[in-house]
Amino acid sequence: MNVKLELPEDTFIIRREELRETLQEMMAEFLQRSEKEEVMTIREAADYLKVSIPTVRNMIANKEIPFFQRGQIIRLNSGDVKAWMWSTSKEQV
């Protein structure tokens, strides 16, 4: 059996995994550009990540999530949290 497959000249073929990685990178870059980086409290970060406040505190204590501290006050940069979230989700795929 002879099968001939013809594709238009401008057709581009890519593996699904490569497409997924490319789209994730593009989305991360878009989010970083489109939103101004805001400082979040632990409560705001917990709401954003949809986890409890103690979970965020544990993640900070274990240095699992990016944060910064000025004296006793701990804050999280929203851009850093989003980038961290994308990088951890990428590792699990």
Side-chain angles (χ1 to χ4, degrees):
M1 174 188 280
N2 229 356
V3 177
K4 185 175 182 182
L5 177 65
E6 292 187 28
L7 297 173
E9 201 171 298
D10 60 344
T11 301
F12 185 70
I13 299 175
I14 187 169
R15 289 186 354 207
R16 181 176 286 207
E17 295 83 20
E18 292 172 341
L19 179 60
R20 180 178 290 135
E21 287 177 13
T22 302
L23 289 173
Q24 285 179 337
E25 290 171 7
M26 289 172 60
M27 193 64 167
E29 186 177 333
F30 173 77
L31 289 173
Q32 287 176 352
R33 288 182 184 179
S34 66
E35 287 186 13
K36 62 182 180 179
E37 294 190 3
E38 295 180 12
V39 175
M40 295 189 293
T41 65
I42 293 174
R43 179 182 302 277
E44 291 168 337
D47 290 343
Y48 177 76
L49 296 170
K50 299 192 181 351
V51 296
S52 68
I53 293 171
T55 298
V56 174
R57 289 189 186 281
N58 286 335
M59 293 165 81
I60 289 170
N62 295 327
K63 297 185 182 350
E64 295 175 24
I65 191 168
F67 69 96
F68 63 94
Q69 188 169 358
R70 299 288 183 258
Q72 296 291 319
I73 299 174
I74 295 174
R75 295 290 185 254
L76 299 94
N77 183 299
S78 64
D80 292 343
V81 171
K82 288 174 187 170
W84 168 83
M85 197 169 62
W86 277 102
S87 68
T88 56
S89 68
K90 196 174 184 180
E91 291 170 3
Q92 295 175 2
V93 172

